[in-house]
Amino acid sequence: MRILAIETSCDETSAAVVEKTGETVKLISQSTATSLALHSKTGGIIPEVAAREQSKFIIPVIQEVLEKANLDSKNPNIDAIAVTYGPGLIGSLLVGVETAKTLSFIWNKPLIPVNHLFGHIYANFIENNAIEFPLIALVVSGGHTDLVLMKSHSNITWLGGTRDDAAGECFDKSGRLLGFPYPAGPMIEEKAKLGNPKAYHFPRPLLHDDAYDFSFSGLKTAVLREVEKTTLNEQAINDICRGLQDAISDVLVSKTLQAAKEYNVKSILLSGGVAANQTLRESFEEKLADSTIKLFVPPKSLCTDNAAMIGAAAMFQGEKTDWQHVTANPELYFD
Ligand code: KG4
Ligand code: ZN
């Protein structure tokens, strides 16, 4: 099966051609355009700016991936078009969804609507068929922090999620307090490498709570309090970054392992932009060193938003439908 996948839920405009043979999903071509440079100046994404940029990028990225995959852009040899239909920013989602619907109509190909959150999880299945069920998936992105139990591709239970800010949002908002451009996660990771782990001990919200919920807004407030009373020289900034990253990482690792133990899983899947954090990956690896549970993390390029993951999710979970039945849904969640 060969799919053209489209992802435009936030500030990226991404298209990919993916193929599945047996259980193996292969990425044939991918192109991702971003309007990040415009948002880094404003400290966050301005939805209308993102959508306007995406309407410029969408056709060129599709053209590029078809060309790279040696497919005819007038009548490509594909089985379906997969598109993110939510959650996300409405203007951004509409660019991808309406383009996919138009192509579905003119090429006479079925559409597969994909939940962006499952897309992140399925980034792990690209060129990897070693994953075993049952599994726990941790989705950690700018907008989401969720723990999901999957006994199979179709037996899925949402265990918990953030009550307020997502982990990535906590990195971004704390970074803003430190004067970093958006998104701050990668810069906090760099600075944290030079930070003293003992200088700041930030709270670990809900760490000892039995439920699988998260809460990161208090952590951001704790950072604010320290920023207000500290002279922000280079070392103090590095130390705050280290304290913040350790606090977020402790909570994510501990809750995920708690769920993995309770449900006796064989695999843990990390996904979403925050999973690009090397220190977080290493803390999972360290904690799982003597365990039979296998840890999977996509390559960094497939952690942040991309179309390949949408194609992969469509391969395992997708249902083909007509273009008339697909509508963007910004509020979509795990159901
Ligand atoms: O998955 P993603 O690209 O977009 C959403 O669906 O939200 O995630 C973006 C988030 C941002 O909050 C960004 O700061 C965070 O992922 N992020 C990181 C790192 N790289 C990206 N957070 C911590 N460490 C990183 N290396
Ligand atoms: Zn995302």
Side-chain angles (χ1 to χ4, degrees):
M1 171 131 140
R2 185 181 299 129
I3 283 180
L4 168 69
I6 297 172
E7 152 64 39
T8 62
S9 66
C10 193
D11 57 324
E12 263 90 20
T13 313
S14 185
V17 174
V18 290
E19 271 178 17
K20 183 161 172 265
T21 319
E23 284 304 289
T24 307
V25 174
K26 209 167 163 219
L27 173 56
I28 307 297
S29 58
Q30 177 157 253
S31 171
T32 304
T34 179
S35 54
L36 214 58
L38 293 175
H39 308 302
S40 68
K41 290 179 204 148
T42 48
I45 292 167
I46 298 175
E48 192 181 324
V49 174
R52 279 174 190 238
E53 290 301 298
Q54 284 165 317
S55 64
K56 290 185 213 158
F57 293 139
I58 188 73
I59 303 288
V61 294
I62 292 172
Q63 248 179 341
E64 189 182 331
V65 294
L66 291 176
E67 218 167 87
K68 280 191 197 154
N70 287 322
L71 294 168
D72 178 2
S73 61
K74 300 280 185 294
N75 182 23
N77 181 12
I78 54 171
D79 300 288
I81 301 165
V83 64
T84 303
Y85 74 111
L89 303 169
I90 183 63
S92 296
L93 288 168
L94 281 172
V95 174
V97 167
E98 295 308 313
T99 305
K101 284 162 76 170
T102 308
L103 292 175
S104 162
F105 173 69
I106 58 171
W107 290 340
N108 196 22
K109 304 285 180 192
L111 264 191
I112 303 179
V114 174
N115 180 327
H116 179 80
L117 301 171
F118 281 113
H120 275 303
I121 294 173
Y122 276 87
N124 283 285
F125 287 81
I126 297 170
E127 295 182 24
N128 173 16
N129 43 23
I131 296 171
E132 286 182 82
F133 292 101
L135 64 83
I136 290 287
L138 171 70
V139 182
V140 264
S141 68
H144 293 272
T145 307
D146 291 289
L147 271 174
V148 180
L149 169 67
M150 293 177 67
K151 291 186 178 161
S152 69
H153 290 297
S154 55
N155 184 336
I156 297 159
T157 311
W158 177 81
L159 300 178
T162 185
R163 293 181 186 171
D164 40 59
D165 290 354
E169 198 175 353
C170 183
F171 273 116
D172 296 337
K173 287 180 174 170
S174 303
R176 197 171 174 181
L177 297 171
L178 295 166
F180 298 167
Y182 174 87
M187 190 174 265
I188 291 178
E189 179 172 19
E190 277 316 299
K191 302 274 180 195
K193 287 180 186 152
L194 305 168
N196 173 1
K198 298 211 167 83
Y200 292 92
H201 186 84
F202 289 115
R204 271 77 173 144
L206 302 182
L207 186 63
H208 300 297
D209 190 299
D210 278 346
Y212 294 113
D213 286 347
F214 299 88
S215 164
F216 290 108
S217 74
L219 183 51
K220 168 199 66 196
T221 311
V223 171
L224 173 64
R225 273 199 299 271
E226 292 302 334
V227 166
E228 280 172 348
K229 64 182 190 211
T230 308
T231 309
L232 283 184
N233 58 32
E234 207 171 323
Q235 190 57 47
I237 290 177
N238 295 343
D239 292 346
I240 291 174
C241 289
R242 178 64 192 258
L244 171 69
Q245 183 175 267
D246 285 354
I248 293 177
S249 173
D250 272 3
V251 175
L252 296 176
V253 173
S254 155
K255 292 264 171 189
T256 308
L257 295 186
Q258 186 186 326
K261 203 167 153 197
E262 179 175 347
Y263 294 99
N264 201 12
V265 300
K266 293 190 173 152
S267 315
I268 291 178
L269 273 53
L270 307 187
S271 61
V274 178
N277 187 291
Q278 190 62 31
T279 319
L280 177 69
R281 292 167 180 233
E282 284 165 11
S283 353
F284 269 103
E285 278 162 13
E286 216 173 274
K287 288 277 168 33
L288 289 168
D290 298 323
S291 163
T292 54
I293 301 171
K294 287 198 234 165
L295 177 72
F296 296 93
V297 196
K300 284 188 185 184
S301 59
L302 296 177
C303 283
T304 47
D305 291 349
N306 65 87
M309 69 186 196
I310 302 304
M315 293 289 189
F316 290 101
Q317 292 205 326
E319 285 182 24
K320 290 180 185 165
T321 186
D322 296 332
W323 66 266
Q324 291 95 330
H325 299 127
V326 180
T327 314
N329 179 359
E331 310 299 337
L332 189 69
Y333 200 33
F334 290 105
D335 26 47

